[in-house]
Amino acid sequence: VPTTIGMAGLAAGGRAGEADAAAGQIPDPGAELEAAPAGLRWEVLAPRAEVTPADTNSASVVLMVDAGKTRLLFLGDTGLEEQQEILSRIDQLEADVIKVSHHGSRDQDQGLPARVGAAWALVSVGADNGYGHPSGETLAALANSGTRTLRTDTSGSIALSPEDGALRPWVERQATPDVGPHP
């Protein structure tokens, strides 16, 4: 069952639109809705078209995005099972930035950060949420893989921009990022 992905702002001329997304899709330069702006390429990693997701989180669209020289992995709200399936099927998961799934919940494959090897992780999570997100286990897995983590609950809005061959963070509020050793 394909999942619908909104392509607002990426479609030609800034028009909003949506399309079905399933693993293996890449933008088709000839299709107006899926056409990627210059220097931007993405591939849908999940969900697979032949799999019926168990719930809405399992149906999250997972994207690998190449933006110039920067590679980003967006995990949506996937959990342990979906992440294990992706890890078993895809050899090249290396990325510079990982958008951590489901607000950094405990429902993660703790080996995924090491496979991705990202310099930066972004966790979109509300402050003082009642779920305990992000989990200490997930933050530890990121730190142990050498990934620096920025969180919206502590930093507010976050941006990363390329500068002198590296990604530099901008945050709305100064907070100490969860930093692990990074080569």
Side-chain angles (χ1 to χ4, degrees), residues 102-106 125-126 128-135:
H102 204 162
H103 318 292
S105 77
R106 187 174 326 178
V125 60
D128 302 321
N129 66 81
Y131 299 101
H133 297 334
S135 82

Short mmCIF file of all heavy atoms in Angstrom, two decimals, residues 102-106 125-126 128-135:
data_model
loop_
_atom_site.label_atom_id
_atom_site.label_comp_id
_atom_site.label_asym_id
_atom_site.label_seq_id
_atom_site.Cartn_x
_atom_site.Cartn_y
_atom_site.Cartn_z
N HIS A 102 10.29 9.32 15.14
CA HIS A 102 9.32 9.35 16.24
C HIS A 102 9.81 10.08 17.49
O HIS A 102 9.77 9.55 18.60
CB HIS A 102 8.87 7.93 16.58
CG HIS A 102 7.54 7.93 17.23
ND1 HIS A 102 6.78 6.81 17.31
CD2 HIS A 102 6.81 8.90 17.83
CE1 HIS A 102 5.65 7.08 17.94
NE2 HIS A 102 5.65 8.36 18.26
N HIS A 103 10.30 11.28 17.30
CA HIS A 103 10.66 12.19 18.39
C HIS A 103 11.74 11.62 19.30
O HIS A 103 11.85 12.00 20.46
CB HIS A 103 9.43 12.58 19.21
CG HIS A 103 8.23 12.87 18.37
ND1 HIS A 103 8.16 13.97 17.55
CD2 HIS A 103 7.08 12.17 18.18
CE1 HIS A 103 7.01 13.95 16.90
NE2 HIS A 103 6.33 12.88 17.26
N GLY A 104 12.54 10.69 18.76
CA GLY A 104 13.60 10.08 19.56
C GLY A 104 13.09 9.04 20.54
O GLY A 104 13.74 8.77 21.55
N SER A 105 11.96 8.43 20.24
CA SER A 105 11.37 7.43 21.14
C SER A 105 12.33 6.25 21.33
O SER A 105 13.31 6.10 20.61
CB SER A 105 10.04 6.92 20.60
OG SER A 105 10.26 6.01 19.54
N ARG A 106 12.00 5.40 22.26
CA ARG A 106 12.78 4.21 22.56
C ARG A 106 12.63 3.15 21.45
O ARG A 106 13.46 2.26 21.34
CB ARG A 106 12.28 3.64 23.89
CG ARG A 106 13.05 2.52 24.44
CD ARG A 106 12.54 2.17 25.80
NE ARG A 106 12.11 3.43 26.43
CZ ARG A 106 11.56 3.53 27.61
NH1 ARG A 106 11.37 2.49 28.33
NH2 ARG A 106 11.19 4.69 28.09
N VAL A 125 11.03 17.32 18.79
CA VAL A 125 10.31 16.85 19.99
C VAL A 125 9.84 18.04 20.81
O VAL A 125 10.55 19.04 20.93
CB VAL A 125 11.20 15.90 20.83
CG1 VAL A 125 12.46 16.59 21.31
CG2 VAL A 125 10.44 15.28 21.97
N GLY A 126 8.64 17.93 21.35
CA GLY A 126 8.11 18.99 22.19
C GLY A 126 8.72 18.96 23.58
O GLY A 126 9.01 17.90 24.13
N ASP A 128 8.96 19.01 27.54
CA ASP A 128 8.12 18.50 28.64
C ASP A 128 6.98 17.63 28.15
O ASP A 128 5.89 17.65 28.73
CB ASP A 128 7.59 19.66 29.49
CG ASP A 128 8.71 20.51 30.06
OD1 ASP A 128 9.74 19.94 30.46
OD2 ASP A 128 8.57 21.75 30.07
N ASN A 129 7.19 16.85 27.09
CA ASN A 129 6.14 15.96 26.61
C ASN A 129 5.93 14.81 27.59
O ASN A 129 6.84 14.43 28.31
CB ASN A 129 6.44 15.45 25.20
CG ASN A 129 7.66 14.55 25.17
OD1 ASN A 129 7.57 13.38 25.50
ND2 ASN A 129 8.80 15.11 24.79
N GLY A 130 4.76 14.28 27.64
CA GLY A 130 4.41 13.23 28.59
C GLY A 130 4.90 11.85 28.21
O GLY A 130 4.70 10.90 28.97
N TYR A 131 5.54 11.71 27.06
CA TYR A 131 6.00 10.40 26.59
C TYR A 131 7.44 10.11 26.97
O TYR A 131 7.93 9.01 26.74
CB TYR A 131 5.86 10.31 25.06
CG TYR A 131 4.44 10.45 24.60
CD1 TYR A 131 3.98 11.66 24.09
CD2 TYR A 131 3.55 9.39 24.69
CE1 TYR A 131 2.67 11.80 23.67
CE2 TYR A 131 2.24 9.52 24.27
CZ TYR A 131 1.80 10.73 23.76
OH TYR A 131 0.50 10.86 23.35
N GLY A 132 8.13 11.10 27.49
CA GLY A 132 9.54 10.90 27.84
C GLY A 132 10.47 10.92 26.64
O GLY A 132 11.58 10.40 26.69
N HIS A 133 10.01 11.53 25.54
CA HIS A 133 10.85 11.62 24.34
C HIS A 133 11.79 12.82 24.48
O HIS A 133 11.40 13.82 25.03
CB HIS A 133 9.99 11.82 23.10
CG HIS A 133 9.07 10.69 22.79
ND1 HIS A 133 9.27 9.39 23.18
CD2 HIS A 133 7.89 10.67 22.11
CE1 HIS A 133 8.27 8.63 22.76
NE2 HIS A 133 7.42 9.39 22.12
N PRO A 134 12.97 12.77 24.00
CA PRO A 134 13.63 11.59 23.44
C PRO A 134 14.14 10.68 24.55
O PRO A 134 14.41 11.14 25.66
CB PRO A 134 14.79 12.19 22.64
CG PRO A 134 15.14 13.45 23.36
CD PRO A 134 13.84 13.96 23.92
N SER A 135 14.28 9.40 24.23
CA SER A 135 14.72 8.44 25.25
C SER A 135 16.23 8.51 25.43
O SER A 135 16.97 8.81 24.49
CB SER A 135 14.30 7.02 24.87
OG SER A 135 15.20 6.45 23.95
#
